[in-house]
Amino acid sequence: MVRLGLIGCGRIGRVHADSITVHPRAELARVVDPFESSAREVGEKFAAPWSTDVEAVIDDPAIDAVVVASPTPTHVDLLIRAVRTGKAVLCEKPIDLDIARVDACSAEIGALTDRVMLGFNRRFDPSFADIRSRVEAGEIGTLEQLTIISRDPAPPPATYVATSGGLFRDMTIHDFDMARFFLGDVVEVSASGANLVSSEIAEAGDIDTAVVVLRGAGGALCSITNSRRAAFGYDQRLEAFGARGMLTAGNQLPTSVRFSGADSTEVAPPYHNFFLDRYTPAYRAELDAFVTGVEPGSTFSPGFADGRAALVLADAANESLRTGASVKVGP
Amino acid sequence: MVRLGLIGCGRIGRVHADSITVHPRAELARVVDPFESSAREVGEKFAAPWSTDVEAVIDDPAIDAVVVASPTPTHVDLLIRAVRTGKAVLCEKPIDLDIARVDACSAEIGALTDRVMLGFNRRFDPSFADIRSRVEAGEIGTLEQLTIISRDPAPPPATYVATSGGLFRDMTIHDFDMARFFLGDVVEVSASGANLVSSEIAEAGDIDTAVVVLRGAGGALCSITNSRRAAFGYDQRLEAFGARGMLTAGNQLPTSVRFSGADSTEVAPPYHNFFLDRYTPAYRAELDAFVTGVEPGSTFSPGFADGRAALVLADAANESLRTGASVKVGP
Amino acid sequence: MVRLGLIGCGRIGRVHADSITVHPRAELARVVDPFESSAREVGEKFAAPWSTDVEAVIDDPAIDAVVVASPTPTHVDLLIRAVRTGKAVLCEKPIDLDIARVDACSAEIGALTDRVMLGFNRRFDPSFADIRSRVEAGEIGTLEQLTIISRDPAPPPATYVATSGGLFRDMTIHDFDMARFFLGDVVEVSASGANLVSSEIAEAGDIDTAVVVLRGAGGALCSITNSRRAAFGYDQRLEAFGARGMLTAGNQLPTSVRFSGADSTEVAPPYHNFFLDRYTPAYRAELDAFVTGVEPGSTFSPGFADGRAALVLADAANESLRTGASVKVGP
Amino acid sequence: MVRLGLIGCGRIGRVHADSITVHPRAELARVVDPFESSAREVGEKFAAPWSTDVEAVIDDPAIDAVVVASPTPTHVDLLIRAVRTGKAVLCEKPIDLDIARVDACSAEIGALTDRVMLGFNRRFDPSFADIRSRVEAGEIGTLEQLTIISRDPAPPPATYVATSGGLFRDMTIHDFDMARFFLGDVVEVSASGANLVSSEIAEAGDIDTAVVVLRGAGGALCSITNSRRAAFGYDQRLEAFGARGMLTAGNQLPTSVRFSGADSTEVAPPYHNFFLDRYTPAYRAELDAFVTGVEPGSTFSPGFADGRAALVLADAANESLRTGASVKVGP
């Protein structure tokens, strides 16, 4: 059994608590959150000891691994402290909004970055992972174009936008990682953005609509289409096009029911509303990969370097947005 | 060029006139209808000579073949006269509502039944024909179950019902032929019926809803589901299930457009409303098969015997409905 | 919390153990199985006390409710003993293969049949349940036709067939219940069967392929299409057709991935292979309904009478198969 | 009746000859092609007078309108001559590869540009046209993103590439027009290209793979994804995303047949292979719009200005490709 401590009992922390609880080789050893009510609620719900004090996890030698699900500004500090006590860390994305701080963290812990897994949950989505495996196996020949459509159901609250780091570092970062999952290194970024959804987002100086084009080191092109709002639910699609064919993953429906009537046919229900519903199996598979990675002789993927690389692409997209020109990205 | 005469300028006659006109090896030599306005209208629209007099077609030695699209009670007489002048005949279904009259016709013309093709247009539907070919080629192994769903968009007028011969001889007859197209000889018929759609149909002594189960000589089972009304359009589906897999043909849409919004997703438009839209390619392909069959060295399929056999199944279904027992059908 | 005892640690018993474990208001108080290795394995896996002795569950006053997942011949005895100790019972289908024994059971426990819920898991399938709710709400108007297609992926072992009670009482019984779920009382049964899949099944005197037509008290017709084998996986579909439209539930896929290549397009993976994959959410929802039903002021649905009624239809189908005539079913 | 002359009897000329022949208010008055064999073949097939001499069409006062389906370099000259004789012109795209020549043509004929309709056939595709109408009607609220995927089944011969004007002016020009059909004026173009499909295309100095991002005057973003080769057939899809929902048009299949077997399910046949199959209804509807536009009191759409505007976008895309920066496009 792998004994896990959970830091952060918000929405995403609860998802991890649930995944840990149902995992056959994992045990939820302790949950912490500075808000006592959150810590208590999650602790009681999942029958785990709880406290408001992060040291209760960091300093507990019986805890093997830590899930860092606290606010982004705390990630680097907690990550450093945890790996220094010998613990493995599953860190929610992004590592930090500031690439300089990410690089300082890397310099500080050196080889211990190997002990960090990044929470890019979509790599573990059964449909996306299946496409990735089949592309790797050569089913569509050389990958030439990757098309990612990624739209949230509704914009976040204005207060969140202010500290989110902007669309590219907050939301598109998942898509940048997905692009790297398929293309490997990305060498060029060209971004277009617009304000079409929310005046609050515009007032906060951010965009809410974007198309980003990436070029992989191997020559493949990738387009990412984003919006902060989709009337029909969480829009999460991917299409890998190659010399010998195409693999697509469409949106997913809660049931297989279709209605046909006088005005329309084959009517399906709305898509899953958001990531908690859409990516439940992905979060479970991600936690499984983390637990497996903690076990001797294993490594973590995606790792610290993947977290850094996605942030580099987000920064390049911001630069391209500002300059109107494509931005080369170094190795 | 094959020179064709058309007898009957109603709805289905116009379909044939259109198919003949666009066929590269066919010429519409004359159209006739006892109603002068109908004959003139079709003749002028398709640039063909017209008259009210059926002899103008039957007796014209320059006409190679006749399409009989007149009311059912006239079929047998016209068919006999036409084949006796050496013409080939494409006769709309059914040959007649009365099996005794069909058998008398057969006795009267003997081997000339070979000159008759029956207008079971659905055999020429590209989707159904494709499934038939693939089943014959062994793609699903031995055929074990055939599922036919066949519903009209709306009940016919009460006046039509009175002379239609009833659901089984008027509407299901297409499905009986489709069953024979896949199963070959049918040896047993079991029918269930109900009055759920139209009180007028009930008053005329007919049913409007049915499920018929057939057993093929080779052992396969076939179910036919009928209704005289489908709110969402013409419901025409078929499923062939075998030892190694299944081939299905779903309903067809006029466009590939889908709408997704707050309340529903992937919404398609209504299906084709009725046979003129749904089976346009089938009617064209049927006419092509007829034209090809007229050419030397060819034969017609489906032929007179197929028209008779479908009627035998309709009669058996009526008997089963009356007795509540399955009915054996001879060879 | 509802404390549950589980009797029977085979395949379906494990499904229930899992559902109980993840249910927030249920506790797995004890598992029993006459095979020590099975009892121990399930007990250890789900962290519950185990024993080989059924009395350990029946006689434990701290246990509120029992899940009977033992072989069919034991159901009646266990059910009677359990309800007499005041426990609620979730009994796997069928109650028994012999209607006389079912009626004797009912006579013996009288009003205590109210304490029994029947394990017709498909009523709780999210897609089928959604269609049922929408039909009840009038979305398609009066229900006129119900089409059930239900095929297993592969025939059971010959040893199982010998004691299964035959296709109708073993497999179709789920579909009979589904028909009743939608149509209410069924008044007429007409069955056709064939041996197309397995010579072993034929030698055991059973059929492996069937079409059954039912008539509901309200006039609606239902067809059930069964096969003991489907090359492409577990084939579980339902279609409710009414005056104003149609609701369908298609087969379900493990991912949303589709492949398009030179020879074919939109290729999906095989369907779920069998009930453990296809109906996982249904089993969870069924257990939830049972736990809720145990709570004060609640009743169970489907209940003992539903279990009996499905068996009556199976017996009627066998009689129709033997006589070739439709069979009336009393109220 | 509108009397039409056809100039150019190649592949696309034959499509127009067919559309004219089946149009109820159009007559194919003459076909011409400098290659006698082509002119004769088309003339005989469609029962129209033919000649090798373009003047036979241009100078015939009985001809009302001309379809220009000759090679691109001849378009401007023929168009000028035809409109000066009072004829209306349906001109295949592009007007010319050289924007200066297009502008010179416009200057030369002045208001007679109103007599020219451009052959952007995709505007008349029933699915795309339906989406356009519904977007205009407000069904998805404000249009925010347009996603066009447009891939040819196979690269053209090297000899064609050399004179084609390049991917953007030859192939993407249809997509530029489609973007303008939905977005109106486009104000910014950003293009990314790659050589992944054909070394011959690379040697000819052109790209074979591209993603182009456009910004409309109203703020909406459009992405166009192109490839010169798609293993699974002609890939022609469009998605309009707005504040209240999304309308999509997927690829189209020749039949509704699906196969399910042991290794895969719901397998469809390959898509239509190329434009002659995919866009047959669009070419018919385009010809109908032209015939209607010839009639008094009508105007043509798309017109000369639309042909010019698409070419401007192609030139801007080429500039963006060269500079790596987005290019502003004037009004």
Side-chain angles (χ1 to χ4, degrees):
Chain A
M1 296 292 282
V2 173
R3 292 172 51 85
L4 292 129
L6 170 66
I7 300 177
C9 292
R11 192 165 55 170
I12 192 67
R14 282 158 211 240
V15 171
H16 290 301
D18 184 73
S19 297
I20 293 166
T21 302
V22 301
H23 194 285
R25 299 196 313 282
E27 183 188 332
L28 186 59
R30 180 169 294 272
V31 304
V32 302
D33 195 288
F35 292 98
E36 185 179 322
S37 61
S38 297
R40 182 194 301 120
E41 187 187 330
V42 173
E44 289 180 353
K45 174 164 182 184
F46 294 98
W50 60 271
S51 55
T52 57
D53 178 8
V54 76
E55 279 72 30
V57 163
I58 300 281
D59 297 340
D60 183 347
I63 289 180
D64 306 306
V66 176
V67 176
V68 174
S70 51
T72 298
T74 69
H75 287 181
V76 163
D77 176 56
L78 291 170
L79 182 159
I80 292 174
R81 290 166 65 187
V83 297
R84 283 190 168 157
T85 68
K87 292 177 172 56
V89 174
L90 172 59
C91 182
E92 271 303 315
K93 62 88 218 169
I95 304 175
D96 195 88
L97 294 176
D98 180 356
I99 189 72
R101 212 166 160 226
V102 172
D103 287 341
C105 170
S106 177
E108 191 167 341
I109 61 175
L112 286 175
T113 52
D114 289 355
R115 299 293 289 159
V116 180
M117 176 167 161
L118 252 288
F120 286 124
N121 59 296
R122 294 183 198 172
R123 289 194 182 208
F124 300 95
D125 175 74
S127 294
F128 298 160
D130 180 55
I131 293 182
R132 172 46 155 55
S133 300
R134 293 163 74 175
V135 169
E136 294 290 302
E139 189 169 330
I140 58 167
T142 304
L143 178 66
E144 296 174 352
Q145 297 187 311
L146 185 72
T147 304
I148 297 171
I149 294 182
S150 171
R151 296 176 177 123
D152 281 356
T159 51
Y160 177 86
V161 173
T163 63
S164 72
L167 183 85
F168 291 143
R169 285 187 287 190
D170 168 47
M171 179 178 160
T172 321
I173 196 151
H174 277 293
D175 307 307
F176 289 131
D177 182 65
M178 189 56 63
R180 292 188 64 257
F181 190 41
F182 278 87
L183 272 59
D185 287 335
V186 168
V187 298
E188 192 177 357
V189 178
S190 177
S192 302
N195 288 94
L196 302 171
V197 171
S198 155
S199 57
E200 284 183 350
I201 292 176
E203 283 155 20
D206 197 12
I207 55 173
D208 51 39
T209 299
V211 179
V212 184
V213 181
L214 308 176
R215 188 187 305 275
L221 294 182
C222 168
S223 72
I224 298 167
T225 297
N226 287 151
S227 174
R228 282 286 195 185
R229 181 257 300 115
F232 47 86
Y234 198 29
D235 193 10
Q236 296 283 296
R237 290 175 284 159
L238 182 148
E239 197 164 289
F241 173 85
R244 300 218 318 259
M246 178 167 70
L247 285 159
T248 66
N251 281 318
Q252 297 178 1
L253 292 160
T255 70
S256 64
V257 178
R258 301 270 175 169
F259 169 77
S260 294
D263 299 320
S264 52
T265 63
E266 304 182 13
V267 179
Y271 297 120
H272 289 304
N273 186 258
F274 211 5
F275 62 94
L276 298 184
D277 299 309
R278 170 67 174 80
Y279 287 121
T280 299
Y283 282 113
R284 297 250 168 118
E286 177 188 73
L287 197 278
D288 180 62
F290 181 56
V291 167
T292 301
V294 169
E295 290 162 353
S298 303
T299 56
F300 294 116
S301 175
F304 190 94
D306 295 303
R308 181 186 186 278
L311 188 61
V312 167
L313 297 183
D315 287 349
N318 277 323
E319 184 185 338
S320 173
L321 196 67
R322 204 177 59 244
T323 61
S326 65
V327 173
K328 306 283 185 196
V329 180
Chain B
M1 295 294 281
V2 174
R3 291 172 52 85
L4 292 129
L6 170 66
I7 301 177
C9 293
R11 191 165 55 168
I12 193 66
R14 284 159 209 240
V15 170
H16 290 301
D18 184 74
S19 297
I20 293 167
T21 303
V22 301
H23 194 283
R25 300 196 312 281
E27 183 188 332
L28 186 60
R30 180 170 295 272
V31 305
V32 302
D33 195 287
F35 292 99
E36 184 179 321
S37 62
S38 296
R40 183 194 300 120
E41 187 187 331
V42 172
E44 290 180 351
K45 174 163 182 183
F46 295 98
W50 60 271
S51 55
T52 58
D53 178 7
V54 75
E55 281 71 28
V57 164
I58 300 281
D59 297 340
D60 182 347
I63 288 181
D64 306 306
V66 177
V67 176
V68 175
S70 52
T72 298
T74 68
H75 287 181
V76 163
D77 176 57
L78 291 169
L79 183 160
I80 292 173
R81 291 167 64 188
V83 296
R84 283 191 168 155
T85 69
K87 292 178 172 54
V89 174
L90 172 60
C91 181
E92 271 303 316
K93 61 88 217 168
I95 304 175
D96 195 88
L97 294 177
D98 180 355
I99 188 72
R101 209 161 166 232
V102 171
D103 287 340
C105 170
S106 177
E108 190 166 342
I109 61 176
L112 286 175
T113 54
D114 288 355
R115 300 291 291 158
V116 180
M117 177 167 160
L118 252 290
F120 286 125
N121 60 297
R122 294 184 198 170
R123 289 195 184 208
F124 301 95
D125 175 73
S127 295
F128 298 160
D130 180 54
I131 293 182
R132 173 46 156 53
S133 300
R134 292 163 75 175
V135 169
E136 293 291 301
E139 189 169 331
I140 59 167
T142 305
L143 178 66
E144 296 172 352
Q145 297 187 312
L146 185 71
T147 304
I148 297 172
I149 293 181
S150 171
R151 297 178 177 121
D152 280 356
T159 52
Y160 176 87
V161 172
T163 63
S164 71
L167 183 84
F168 291 144
R169 285 187 288 190
D170 167 47
M171 177 177 160
T172 321
I173 198 151
H174 278 294
D175 308 307
F176 289 130
D177 182 64
M178 188 55 64
R180 292 188 64 257
F181 190 41
F182 278 87
L183 271 59
D185 287 336
V186 167
V187 297
E188 190 177 357
V189 178
S190 176
S192 303
N195 288 95
L196 302 172
V197 171
S198 155
S199 56
E200 285 183 349
I201 292 176
E203 284 154 21
D206 196 12
I207 54 172
D208 51 38
T209 299
V211 179
V212 184
V213 179
L214 308 176
R215 189 187 305 274
L221 295 181
C222 168
S223 72
I224 298 168
T225 297
N226 287 153
S227 175
R228 281 287 195 186
R229 180 256 300 114
F232 46 88
Y234 199 29
D235 192 11
Q236 295 284 295
R237 291 175 283 159
L238 183 148
E239 197 164 289
F241 173 84
R244 300 219 317 259
M246 179 167 70
L247 285 159
T248 67
N251 282 318
Q252 297 178 2
L253 292 160
T255 69
S256 65
V257 177
R258 300 270 175 169
F259 170 76
S260 294
D263 300 321
S264 53
T265 62
E266 305 182 12
V267 179
Y271 297 120
H272 290 304
N273 186 258
F274 211 5
F275 61 95
L276 298 183
D277 299 309
R278 171 65 175 81
Y279 287 121
T280 299
Y283 282 112
R284 299 251 165 115
E286 178 189 71
L287 196 280
D288 180 62
F290 181 56
V291 167
T292 300
V294 170
E295 290 162 355
S298 301
T299 56
F300 295 117
S301 175
F304 189 93
D306 295 303
R308 181 188 186 280
L311 188 62
V312 167
L313 296 183
D315 287 349
N318 277 323
E319 183 185 339
S320 173
L321 195 66
R322 203 177 59 244
T323 62
S326 63
V327 173
K328 305 284 183 194
V329 180
Chain C
M1 295 293 281
V2 173
R3 291 172 53 86
L4 292 130
L6 170 66
I7 301 177
C9 292
R11 192 165 54 169
I12 192 67
R14 283 158 211 239
V15 171
H16 289 302
D18 184 74
S19 297
I20 294 166
T21 302
V22 302
H23 194 285
R25 299 195 313 282
E27 183 188 331
L28 187 59
R30 180 170 295 271
V31 305
V32 303
D33 195 288
F35 293 100
E36 184 179 322
S37 61
S38 296
R40 183 194 301 121
E41 187 187 331
V42 172
E44 289 179 353
K45 174 164 182 184
F46 294 99
W50 59 271
S51 53
T52 57
D53 178 8
V54 76
E55 281 71 29
V57 163
I58 301 281
D59 298 340
D60 183 346
I63 289 180
D64 306 307
V66 176
V67 176
V68 175
S70 51
T72 299
T74 68
H75 287 181
V76 163
D77 176 57
L78 292 170
L79 182 158
I80 292 173
R81 291 166 66 189
V83 296
R84 283 190 168 157
T85 67
K87 291 178 172 56
V89 173
L90 172 60
C91 181
E92 271 302 315
K93 62 88 217 169
I95 303 175
D96 195 87
L97 295 177
D98 180 356
I99 189 72
R101 212 165 161 227
V102 171
D103 287 341
C105 171
S106 177
E108 190 167 343
I109 61 176
L112 286 175
T113 54
D114 289 354
R115 299 293 289 159
V116 180
M117 176 168 162
L118 252 288
F120 286 124
N121 59 296
R122 294 184 198 171
R123 289 196 183 207
F124 301 94
D125 174 74
S127 295
F128 298 160
D130 180 54
I131 293 182
R132 172 47 155 53
S133 301
R134 293 162 75 175
V135 169
E136 293 291 301
E139 188 168 333
I140 58 167
T142 304
L143 178 67
E144 296 173 352
Q145 296 186 312
L146 185 72
T147 304
I148 296 172
I149 293 182
S150 171
R151 296 177 177 122
D152 280 355
T159 51
Y160 177 87
V161 172
T163 62
S164 71
L167 183 84
F168 291 144
R169 284 187 288 190
D170 167 48
M171 178 177 160
T172 321
I173 197 151
H174 278 294
D175 307 308
F176 289 130
D177 182 65
M178 188 56 63
R180 293 187 65 257
F181 191 41
F182 279 87
L183 271 61
D185 287 336
V186 167
V187 298
E188 192 177 356
V189 178
S190 178
S192 302
N195 287 94
L196 302 171
V197 170
S198 155
S199 57
E200 285 184 350
I201 291 176
E203 284 154 22
D206 196 12
I207 55 173
D208 51 38
T209 299
V211 179
V212 184
V213 180
L214 308 176
R215 188 187 307 274
L221 295 181
C222 167
S223 72
I224 297 168
T225 297
N226 287 151
S227 174
R228 281 286 195 186
R229 181 256 300 115
F232 46 86
Y234 198 30
D235 192 10
Q236 296 285 295
R237 290 175 285 159
L238 183 148
E239 198 164 289
F241 173 85
R244 300 220 316 262
M246 179 167 69
L247 285 158
T248 67
N251 282 318
Q252 296 178 1
L253 292 159
T255 69
S256 65
V257 177
R258 300 270 175 169
F259 169 76
S260 294
D263 300 320
S264 53
T265 61
E266 305 182 12
V267 179
Y271 297 121
H272 291 303
N273 186 259
F274 211 4
F275 61 94
L276 297 184
D277 298 311
R278 170 67 173 81
Y279 286 121
T280 300
Y283 282 113
R284 298 250 167 116
E286 177 189 73
L287 197 279
D288 179 62
F290 181 56
V291 167
T292 301
V294 170
E295 291 162 354
S298 302
T299 56
F300 294 117
S301 176
F304 189 95
D306 295 304
R308 181 186 185 280
L311 188 62
V312 167
L313 296 183
D315 288 347
N318 277 323
E319 183 186 339
S320 173
L321 196 67
R322 203 177 58 244
T323 62
S326 63
V327 174
K328 306 282 185 197
V329 180
Chain D
M1 295 294 281
V2 173
R3 292 172 51 86
L4 292 128
L6 170 67
I7 302 177
C9 292
R11 191 164 56 169
I12 191 67
R14 283 157 209 240
V15 171
H16 290 301
D18 184 74
S19 298
I20 293 166
T21 303
V22 301
H23 195 283
R25 299 195 313 281
E27 183 188 333
L28 187 59
R30 180 170 293 273
V31 303
V32 302
D33 194 287
F35 293 99
E36 184 180 321
S37 62
S38 295
R40 182 193 301 119
E41 187 188 330
V42 172
E44 290 179 352
K45 173 163 183 183
F46 295 97
W50 60 270
S51 55
T52 57
D53 177 7
V54 75
E55 279 72 28
V57 163
I58 300 280
D59 297 340
D60 182 346
I63 288 180
D64 306 306
V66 177
V67 176
V68 175
S70 52
T72 299
T74 69
H75 287 181
V76 163
D77 176 57
L78 292 169
L79 180 160
I80 292 172
R81 291 166 65 189
V83 295
R84 283 190 167 155
T85 69
K87 291 178 172 55
V89 174
L90 172 60
C91 181
E92 271 303 316
K93 62 88 219 169
I95 306 175
D96 195 88
L97 295 176
D98 180 356
I99 188 73
R101 211 163 162 228
V102 171
D103 287 341
C105 170
S106 176
E108 191 166 343
I109 61 175
L112 287 175
T113 54
D114 289 355
R115 301 291 290 158
V116 179
M117 177 167 159
L118 251 290
F120 286 126
N121 60 297
R122 294 185 198 171
R123 288 195 183 209
F124 300 95
D125 175 74
S127 295
F128 298 160
D130 180 54
I131 293 182
R132 171 49 154 53
S133 300
R134 293 163 75 175
V135 169
E136 293 291 302
E139 189 169 331
I140 58 166
T142 305
L143 178 65
E144 296 173 352
Q145 297 187 310
L146 185 73
T147 304
I148 297 171
I149 294 181
S150 172
R151 296 178 176 122
D152 281 355
T159 51
Y160 177 87
V161 173
T163 63
S164 71
L167 183 84
F168 291 142
R169 284 187 288 190
D170 168 48
M171 177 177 161
T172 321
I173 197 152
H174 277 294
D175 308 307
F176 288 131
D177 182 64
M178 189 55 64
R180 292 188 64 256
F181 190 42
F182 278 87
L183 272 59
D185 288 335
V186 168
V187 298
E188 190 177 356
V189 178
S190 177
S192 303
N195 288 94
L196 302 172
V197 171
S198 155
S199 57
E200 285 184 349
I201 292 177
E203 283 154 21
D206 196 12
I207 55 172
D208 52 39
T209 299
V211 179
V212 184
V213 180
L214 309 175
R215 188 187 305 274
L221 295 181
C222 168
S223 72
I224 297 167
T225 297
N226 287 152
S227 174
R228 281 286 195 186
R229 180 256 300 115
F232 47 88
Y234 198 29
D235 193 10
Q236 297 283 294
R237 291 175 284 159
L238 182 147
E239 196 163 290
F241 173 86
R244 300 217 318 258
M246 179 167 70
L247 285 159
T248 66
N251 282 318
Q252 296 177 3
L253 291 160
T255 70
S256 64
V257 177
R258 300 271 175 168
F259 169 76
S260 294
D263 299 321
S264 52
T265 62
E266 304 182 13
V267 179
Y271 297 120
H272 291 305
N273 187 259
F274 211 4
F275 61 95
L276 298 184
D277 299 309
R278 171 65 175 81
Y279 287 121
T280 299
Y283 282 113
R284 298 250 166 116
E286 178 189 72
L287 197 279
D288 179 63
F290 181 55
V291 167
T292 301
V294 170
E295 291 161 353
S298 301
T299 56
F300 294 118
S301 175
F304 189 93
D306 295 303
R308 181 187 186 278
L311 188 62
V312 167
L313 295 184
D315 288 349
N318 277 322
E319 183 185 338
S320 173
L321 196 66
R322 202 176 61 243
T323 62
S326 64
V327 173
K328 306 284 184 193
V329 180

